[in-house]
Amino acid sequence: MKGNRAVLTAIVVLVIIIAGYLLFRRGGAEQIDLLAHFDQAEKNGQPFAVEDVTLGNETKRAITAPANGRVRFRVKVPNDGWLKVSLGLKPDAWEKEGNGVYFFVGISDGRAYENLFTQTVNPYKNTSERRWIPVVVDLSAYSGQDMEISFNTRESGPNQPADARNDLPVWGTPEIVTR
């Protein structure tokens, strides 16, 4: 009798654990393809376009941006959200003089703005930057919130003289994913 009670107790505990897992597990990975929302995004500067861009040997669907531009997307940040994007300059800029492009992304709730990352890309000076440069940023602090994510480019990095020569910035496959 005691043996049957132990087996029954173990089965009940196992059923409770499985039911809890099925009830509280995270849903499938959520993904927000920002390119799918490009037409609704607010754009400052001209021209912007979406096209296939090949850097190195890798082709990505990308936003081509002006040297001094901003594109803003309104999104509801999913739980455990991460921003994934790749940066680069089109190959036409790689062997022509210039001081590169300053990329930065920020997030805002309409009251406060926070920079998420900054990076200057200059494939003329740094041949290792003649490729897609992946960037991944944790957005979990904004989970469940309606936010504006701004993708910005400037013709020159901080403490650099203004120089828009051969600035052909691209944002490759921007998306928000969950882990």
Side-chain angles (χ1 to χ4, degrees):
M1 183 82 170
K2 284 187 176 184
N4 288 341
R5 187 175 291 168
V7 169
L8 183 60
T9 301
I11 290 172
V12 168
V13 169
L14 185 60
V15 167
I16 291 172
I17 290 171
I18 291 171
Y21 171 77
L22 293 174
L23 185 62
F24 294 108
R25 73 177 176 172
R26 291 185 174 203
E30 187 175 345
Q31 178 178 339
I32 301 171
D33 176 1
L34 295 175
L35 292 176
H37 302 280
F38 179 75
D39 289 340
Q40 294 81 33
E42 181 182 331
K43 299 159 198 81
N44 298 95
Q46 292 295 327
F48 281 96
V50 174
E51 60 187 64
D52 291 330
V53 177
T54 301
L55 302 183
N57 294 322
E58 188 176 2
T59 301
K60 293 182 181 279
R61 196 81 176 138
I63 299 170
T64 60
N68 293 301
R70 172 181 296 140
V71 59
R72 296 183 196 134
F73 296 92
R74 297 284 306 160
V75 298
K76 182 171 185 169
V77 178
N79 290 335
D80 200 19
W82 290 76
L83 173 66
K84 287 178 59 177
V85 66
S86 296
L87 317 175
L89 267 64
K90 286 184 168 184
D92 293 348
W94 292 357
E95 296 184 7
K96 297 176 183 170
E97 285 190 34
N99 65 0
V101 173
Y102 182 63
F103 290 82
F104 60 104
V105 172
I107 193 163
S108 173
D109 62 2
R111 295 173 302 227
Y113 173 89
E114 181 180 347
N115 254 347
L116 296 174
F117 80 87
T118 63
Q119 183 160 349
T120 300
V121 178
N122 186 350
Y124 174 74
K125 182 178 177 183
N126 305 310
T127 58
S128 66
E129 295 178 349
R130 294 179 179 183
R131 63 180 176 84
W132 287 109
I133 300 167
V135 176
V136 180
V137 180
D138 183 2
L139 300 177
S140 61
Y142 311 99
S143 292
Q145 298 180 51
D146 290 318
M147 302 297 285
E148 182 178 85
I149 298 181
S150 299
F151 292 79
N152 305 278
T153 51
R154 294 290 175 263
E155 65 186 20
S156 303
N159 306 315
Q160 294 287 318
D163 182 357
R165 292 177 300 154
N166 306 306
D167 288 350
L168 302 170
V170 288
W171 299 94
T173 59
E175 62 185 346
I176 297 173
V177 298
T178 57
R179 292 190 175 192

